């Protein structure tokens, strides 16, 4: 079958990488041509990753050994259900790039546009690579590709605040990468291998648990900075709010997930070895997750800037996922893993819709955007769908996570955290209702907002595809849930099972 | 007997499609009215076509989509659900007619009728929900869909009321979500097709938490004191909204949810053993009396109606909590009895407001001379609430008192009596004021309300009489209520 | 305790270096100094990983005529080569950001920049 071709796996990374590097040369200074090239590249990447998803759904996880060198000696790419994040990355990345076409014309210096697409494609390549790699050090390398392109993307508008935000992001990002690298080094020092599966095998036999525990702590800390868990979130709001909207969608929907995916990979290595007791880490995740949910929502309430609000809501949602990790029961982990995907979709929908509104009206504060629902009904409706979804009103995508983590909380006997999650979500609703009120039910302040009109199709279509997905992923929740379940079952299977 | 039948899905789907069409084509007055009325009629026909089967004991089922592994969005029209669906789809048609007349001078009519249809779609979804999760999905959607209706006026006051409404109902929804999750954890299923799914062997403390969260969650919309705060504030909405949603759909969904929890999640036997419903019965009795007393002091007609609703809803809760067949009959039947009487009153309030601009009770002196038919309808509804025989409200009071005696808690029968007196004390003065007091100064000379407002009002009032006199006629709704009760009590 | 520290002297040094770097990142006011702290941290991690691969009296793992074991472990060295490339890119990006900040704001002191906002 077509999806069984072995080389899809490396191609998934190479395609966006290749298209990204060649964009400036192909474009020759023409922004439109760069856009078309980038759309093509990301579409091909999406097709490639789709082949991988089909294969993993039919056959279960599979590997690719580079140059015929089998693991643990060679470099391995390994694709499992969680790695299907690569498909989410490629398709959302494609939508963000499609959206950028008209957006970049306005927001960026024309000479920079080809490089903007290069950076976006590199980011996508890094994210795909990070999801499919089976090797600790390659994880670090892909993480750095993601981080470097993200730092640059935040600064791409060339405004002073953007550069400051990018620098803040860079410093914290670099520190966290080094923490992770330190941890990787320690794992290598104790086990003598960098291959994830091999490390998991060998960890069971190491003499002392102390270096392993330290390595886990370092890596977990690094990943939590990357995913902006409270109180390590300080870099996120500025960076995500100031970046151009399609970039915010990629950063908030996809790039913060690097930390969570990394944590998941870390779990896959250490969970079943029994060498260290992860109870303390679980406890920490639980509490930090709960605090993140509340604090993210709390800060968001005071924001008037619509993108700032969305950025803080990302912190809350990361809290859900981390709390799901901390509960460590089957339902909770499934809910958390699925929310990694769903939050990517929802938050991209929100950021792209907000970007379209900002692009059409030129305002970005809620108090100035009153009446936007009348001016641009389709975009505002998409934004409302996203808002309903992120709050977790059934039957949208956001609800699945709430339902599963609540189930997981009872399963783990930690009912209180289920309560925290469900009522924390209500808190989030407080600020989304402000947005809906401003768009639909309050007197307009600026007349041009009411007459703005919906954006061109190249922006509207991606927004509505995502908004439609917010609904579809909820209604057809069975599909992602059953898809991800084998990965969680393997993670939780008893040793030797 | 269960039959797979697509009509169960069609019933909510018709209104859903209707709202879509209204949003698309509603700028044109004709199409807006055409789709609203057409869908309302069609839906009533669909629901009514299931009625004969339901009375014969057939249950219609349709699985729509598997939502999460093992739990479907599924519809199932059992006797209780059919009863609720019949009431709400009948009232939808009547209210649509009224709303077309009432909303003419208002703004944003497309939004209004679009969300109006969505609300009814979700209400029927709740009625036909096969499992607790489906019920929750529609329950939450209903909350969201009513928000634009509550704040229709877009004034700061309306926005404040809307916020309060959401704060109460979404917190309630959160409780239900947790309760459902816990139910799934304990019972391993969420189906509502059995008379009780929770195992008797479960830990009583868990069951107590479960009962509290679920009842508190549904109790918000059922406006049990102290969870009733949103209802009087939400009266800022236009009258048809208050009528359909705040006397019928939203609040009844809460009461219906409590019935489902008591009869289908816990089951009568388990609850009798656990005794959780006794405090609930006391709370309901307190709500009946306290809300009636509060209603006495309201001068705004709609606010008095709101407190009366709070009081009347607790009849249903009390009926459920007494756990006897007679009380259960009263609880189910009161869904219809209260709905028709209350909607008559709301229609009257709306007609008066539209025709004369009056909203306060003391302004109503002599209004009966101007609008005799409207006020006659009001009188019928009042007498029903007081519980005069031959009116619908009497049936409820009779069976509820019987149920109280059956369960050995005779003092609840006294609560019924006290409530009747209080109802008389706050409704009859209005009737007196309207018919037997001369108008202050000159009358407005407005005359009767226009036909689009008057006809629905009279129809509902007539139906109150029909409900009150036909409880023993086979084929009438009361027979459906009996069927529901017989299933629940395994008779 | 002391003995354990002495036998793991190389590791201890890299931890100390890491902490010094972290201190610079947090405490220094000048953006370039902050970044130098980051470079110190990078160096410490690299040193740590290279130290893992050290074999007593081992020689560089270059095969060829006359090559004699024991060799040090080549993998960490290869890793760190990649790491250095990453570090250089980060440094370049950071410095270019700092240059632009200086052009636009006329200062690269963190507290003065905060006041400008």
């Amino acid at each position: 079958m077509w999806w069984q071709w072995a080389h899809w796996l490396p191609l998934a990374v190479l395609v966006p990488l290749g298209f990204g590097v060649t964009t400036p040369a192909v474009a020759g200074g023409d922004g439109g041509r760069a856009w078309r090239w980038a759309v093509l590249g990301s579409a091909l990447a999406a097709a490639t990753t789709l082949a991988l998803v089909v294969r993993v759904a039919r056959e279960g996880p599979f590997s690719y050994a580079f140059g015929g060198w089998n693991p643990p000696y060679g470099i391995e790419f390994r694709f499992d259900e969680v790695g299907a994040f690569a498909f989410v990355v490629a398709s959302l990345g494609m939508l963000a790039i499609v959206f950028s076409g008209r957006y970049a014309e306005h927001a960026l210096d024309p000479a920079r546009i080809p490089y903007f697409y290069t950076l976006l494609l590199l980011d996508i390549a890094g994210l795909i690579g990070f999801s499919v790699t089976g090797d600790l050090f390659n994880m670090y390398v892909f993480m750095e590709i993601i981080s470097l392109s993200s730092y640059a993307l935040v600064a791409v508008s060339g405004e002073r605040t953007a550069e400051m935000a990018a620098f803040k992001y860079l410093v914290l990002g670099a520190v966290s990468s080094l923490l992770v690298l330190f941890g990787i080094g320690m794992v290598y020092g104790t086990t003598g291998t960098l291959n994830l599966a091999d490390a998991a095998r060998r960890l069971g036999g190491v003499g002392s648990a102390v270096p392993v525990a330290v390595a886990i702590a370092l890596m977990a800390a690094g990943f939590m900075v990357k995913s902006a868990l409270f109180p390590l979130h300080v870099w996120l709001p500025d960076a995500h709010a100031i970046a151009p909207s399609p970039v915010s969608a990629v950063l908030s929907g996809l790039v913060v997930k690097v930390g969570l995916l990394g944590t998941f990979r870390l779990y896959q290595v250490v969970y079943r070895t029994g060498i260290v007791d992860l109870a303390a880490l679980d406890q920490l995740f639980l509490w930090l997750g709960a605090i993140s949910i509340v604090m993210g929502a709390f800060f968001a309430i005071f924001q008037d800037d619509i993108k700032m609000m969305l950025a803080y809501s990302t912190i809350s949602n990361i809290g859900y996922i981390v709390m799901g990790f901390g509960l460590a029961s089957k339902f909770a982990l499934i809910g958390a893993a699925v929310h990694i995907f769903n939050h990517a979709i929802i938050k991209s929908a929100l950021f792209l819709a907000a970007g379209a509104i900002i692009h059409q009206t030129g305002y970005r504060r809620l108090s100035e955007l009153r009446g936007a629902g009348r001016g641009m009904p389709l975009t505002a409706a998409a934004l409302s769908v996203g808002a309903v979804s992120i709050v977790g009103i059934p039957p949208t995508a956001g609800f699945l996570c709430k339902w599963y983590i609540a189930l997981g909380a009872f399963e783990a006997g930690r009912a209180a955290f289920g309560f925290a999650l469900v009522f924390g979500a209500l808190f989030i609703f407080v600020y989304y209702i402000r947005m809906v009120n401003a768009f639909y039910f309050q007197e307009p302040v600026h007349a041009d907002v009411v007459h703005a009109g919906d954006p061109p199709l190249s922006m509207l279509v991606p927004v509505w595809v995502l908004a439609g997905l917010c609904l579809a992923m909820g209604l057809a929740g069975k599909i992602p849930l059953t898809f991800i379940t084998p990965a969680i079952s393997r993670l939780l299977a008893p040793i030797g099972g | 007997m269960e039959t797979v039948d697509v009509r169960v899905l069609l019933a909510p789907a018709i209104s859903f499609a209707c709202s879509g069409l209204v949003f698309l084509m509603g700028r044109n007055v004709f199409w807006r009215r055409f789709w609203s009325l057409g869908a309302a009629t069609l839906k009533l026909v669909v629901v009514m076509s299931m009625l004969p089967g339901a009375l014969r004991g057939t249950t219609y089922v349709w699985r729509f989509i598997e939502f999460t592994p093992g739990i479907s969005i599924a519809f199932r029209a059992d006797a209780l659900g059919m009863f609720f669906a019949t009431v709400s789809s009948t009232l939808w048609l009547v209210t649509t007619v009224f709303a077309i007349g009432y909303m003419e001078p208002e703004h944003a009519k497309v939004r209004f009728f679009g969300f109006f249809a969505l609300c009814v779609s979700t209400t029927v979804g709740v009625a036909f929900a096969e499992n607790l999760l489906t019920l929750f999905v529609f329950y939450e959607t209903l909350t969201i869909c009513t928000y634009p209706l509550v704040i229709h006026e877009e004034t700061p006051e309306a926005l404040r009321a809307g916020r309060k409404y959401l704060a109460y109902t979404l917190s309630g929804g959160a409780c239900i979500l947790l309760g459902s999750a816990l139910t799934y954890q304990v019972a391993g299923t969420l189906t509502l097709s059995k008379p009780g799914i929770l195992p008797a062997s479960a830990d009583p403390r868990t069951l107590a938490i479960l009962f509290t969260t679920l009842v508190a969650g549904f109790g918000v919309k059922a406006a049990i004191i102290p969870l009733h705060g949103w209802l009087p504030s939400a009266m800022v909405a236009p009258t048809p909204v208050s009528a359909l949603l705040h006397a019928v759909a939203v609040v009844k969904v809460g009461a219906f949810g409590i019935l489902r929890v008591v009869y289908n999640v816990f089951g009568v036997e388990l609850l009798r053993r656990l005794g959780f419903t006794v405090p609930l019965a006391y709370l309901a009795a307190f709500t009946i009396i306290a809300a009636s007393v509060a209603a006495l002091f309201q001068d705004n007609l709609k606010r008095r109606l709101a407190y009366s609703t709070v009081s009347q809803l607790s009849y249903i809760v009390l009926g459920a909590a007494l756990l006897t067949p007679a009380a259960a009959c009263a609880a189910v039947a009161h869904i219809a009895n209260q709905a028709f009487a209350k909607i008559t009153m709301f229609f009257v309030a709306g007609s008066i407001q539209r025709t004369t601009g009056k909203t306060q009770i003391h302004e109503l002196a002599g209004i009966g001379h101007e609008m005799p038919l409207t006020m006659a309808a009001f009188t019928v509804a009042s007498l029903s609430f007081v519980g005069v025989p031959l009116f619908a409200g009497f049936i409820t009071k009779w069976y509820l008192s019987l149920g109280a005696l059956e369960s050995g808690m005779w003092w609840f029968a006294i609560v019924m009596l006290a409530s009747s007196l209080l109802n008389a004390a706050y409704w009859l003065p209005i009737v007196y004021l309207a018919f037997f007091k001369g108008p202050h100064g000159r009358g407005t000379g407005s005359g009767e309300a226009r036909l689009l407002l008057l006809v629905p009002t009279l129809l509902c009032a007539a139906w109150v009489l029909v409900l009150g006199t036909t409880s023993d006629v086979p084929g009438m709704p009361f027979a459906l209520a009996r069927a529901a009760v017989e299933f629940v009590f395994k008779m | 305790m002391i003995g354990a520290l002495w036998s793991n002297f190389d590791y201890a040094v890299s931890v100390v270096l890491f902490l010094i770097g972290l201190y610079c990142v947090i405490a220094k006011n000048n953006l370039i100094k902050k970044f130098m702290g980051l470079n110190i941290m990078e160096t410490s991690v690299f040193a740590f990983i290279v130290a893992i691969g050290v074999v007593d009296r081992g020689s560089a793992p270059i095969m060829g005529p006359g090559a004699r074991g024991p060799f040090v472990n080549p993998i960490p060295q290869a890793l760190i080569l990649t790491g250095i490339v990453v570090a250089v890119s980060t440094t370049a990006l950071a410095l270019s950001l700092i240059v632009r900040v200086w052009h636009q704001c006329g200062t690269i002191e963190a507290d003065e920049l905060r006041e400008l906002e």
Side-chain angles (χ1 to χ4, degrees), chain B residues 66-350:
Chain B
E66 205 163 332
F67 187 57
T68 69
I71 305 175
S72 303
I73 301 255
F75 300 100
R76 183 174 185 281
D78 60 359
L80 184 56
M82 268 306 290
F83 190 87
F84 186 34
T86 316
V87 172
S88 54
S89 50
T90 314
L91 290 177
W92 186 35
L93 180 57
V94 186
T95 314
T96 308
V97 176
F98 185 85
I100 287 174
Y102 183 89
M103 294 300 287
E104 224 157 61
E106 294 274 339
H107 68 285
K109 287 196 277 277
V110 177
R111 182 176 85 203
F112 179 86
F113 282 99
F115 278 104
F116 201 66
L118 264 185
C119 290
V120 178
S121 171
T122 50
T123 307
V124 177
V126 168
F128 286 161
E130 192 267 346
N131 55 51
L132 209 48
L133 194 67
T134 309
L135 199 153
F136 176 70
V137 166
F138 284 105
Y139 185 92
E140 286 282 82
T141 324
L142 179 63
T143 306
I144 299 301
C145 296
T146 37
Y147 178 71
L149 297 177
V150 172
I151 59 166
H152 186 82
E153 306 293 341
E154 300 181 7
T155 54
E157 191 201 352
L159 287 175
R160 228 182 355 263
R163 261 202 303 279
K164 196 168 175 185
Y165 171 65
L166 282 181
Y168 271 86
T169 47
L170 285 174
S171 310
C175 285
I176 299 171
L177 173 65
L178 289 165
S180 311
L182 193 53
T183 307
Y184 193 64
Q185 179 70 21
V186 175
T189 172
L190 287 175
T191 181
L192 294 172
S193 59
K194 299 198 183 85
I197 52 171
L198 289 169
S201 54
D203 175 21
R205 268 182 313 170
T206 315
L207 290 180
I209 294 171
L210 195 54
F211 189 77
T212 316
T213 45
L214 283 177
V215 168
F218 287 115
V220 170
K221 277 194 185 168
I224 302 175
I225 289 178
L227 306 171
H228 69 291
W230 60 274
L231 204 146
S233 336
M235 286 297 144
V236 294
T239 305
V241 175
S242 311
L244 184 58
L245 305 176
H246 292 272
V248 186
V250 173
V251 293
K252 284 294 155 54
V253 160
F256 182 78
I258 290 183
L259 294 184
R260 284 292 197 205
V261 170
V262 170
Y263 296 138
N264 297 100
V265 176
F266 278 83
V268 175
E269 278 167 35
L270 182 62
L271 275 179
R272 270 198 194 130
R273 214 158 48 76
L274 293 167
F276 293 158
T277 48
V278 178
L280 182 62
Y282 281 108
L283 193 61
F286 173 74
T287 306
I288 292 174
I289 300 297
S292 292
V293 173
L296 273 177
F297 298 101
Q298 305 300 325
D299 189 41
N300 183 307
L301 184 54
K302 277 179 80 179
R303 282 185 76 86
R304 188 174 284 194
L305 280 165
Y307 278 103
S308 157
T309 305
V310 174
S311 156
Q312 292 286 320
L313 283 167
S314 279
Y315 280 44
I316 304 177
V317 179
L318 179 60
L322 287 176
L323 298 178
T324 68
C329 259
V332 180
H334 201 55
I335 291 181
N337 296 347
Q338 192 262 349
F340 281 96
K342 187 50 61 68
I343 209 160
T344 309
M345 285 203 166
F346 269 109
F347 284 173
V348 170

Side-chain angles (χ1 to χ4, degrees), chain A residues 393-394 399-400 402-404 407 410-411 418-419 422 426 429 433 437 440-442 474-475 477-478 481-482, chain B residues 65-69 111 136-137 140-141 144 147 151 154 159 166 170-171 174 177-178 180-182 184-185:
Chain A
I393 303 291
F399 171 67
L400 285 182
K402 250 168 65 172
W403 172 244
Y404 261 68
L407 283 179
F410 287 121
E411 192 184 31
F419 275 75
V422 171
L426 287 186
F429 201 75
I433 202 67
N437 278 344
Y440 290 104
F441 306 122
Q442 284 175 339
L475 274 174
K478 192 193 171 195
L481 288 166
T482 41
Chain B
I65 190 173
E66 205 163 332
F67 187 57
T68 69
R111 182 176 85 203
F136 176 70
V137 166
E140 286 282 82
T141 324
I144 299 301
Y147 178 71
I151 59 166
E154 300 181 7
L159 287 175
L166 282 181
L170 285 174
S171 310
L177 173 65
L178 289 165
S180 311
L182 193 53
Y184 193 64
Q185 179 70 21

Side-chain angles (χ1 to χ4, degrees), chain B residues 35-46:
Chain B
W35 289 123
S36 298
L37 285 173
T41 316
L42 189 61
K43 177 188 198 120
L44 188 59
V45 169
V46 168

Side-chain angles (χ1 to χ4, degrees), chain A residues 115-138:
Chain A
Y115 298 101
F116 170 74
Y117 291 117
T118 301
L119 288 171
L120 264 178
L121 283 166
L122 282 182
D123 215 353
I124 293 168
L127 280 159
I128 295 176
F130 189 85
S131 346
V132 303
T133 184
D135 179 286
L136 274 169
F137 191 75
N138 279 354

Side-chain angles (χ1 to χ4, degrees), chain B residues 364-415:
Chain B
L364 296 183
I367 194 104
H369 304 296
E370 313 253 355
M371 310 171 73
L373 290 173
T374 310
M375 287 318 289
F378 186 86
T379 312
V380 169
S382 306
L383 292 176
S384 170
F385 281 132
V386 176
V388 177
L390 296 185
F391 291 88
F394 172 71
I395 309 283
T396 315
K397 290 220 165 75
W398 175 251
Y399 278 96
L400 208 50
S401 307
L402 271 185
L405 297 175
E406 230 173 37
S407 66
M409 293 187 267
W410 50 269
W411 47 90
F412 288 120
I414 296 178
V415 171

Side-chain angles (χ1 to χ4, degrees), chain A residues 181-182 184-190 192, chain C residues 10-11 45-55 73 76:
Chain A
L181 186 61
F182 216 133
I184 290 173
M186 292 187 79
V187 171
Y188 180 69
T190 42
Chain C
D10 39 0
Y11 298 158
V45 177
F46 296 162
F48 168 75
I49 293 179
V50 169
I52 291 170
V54 167
V55 174
N73 186 347

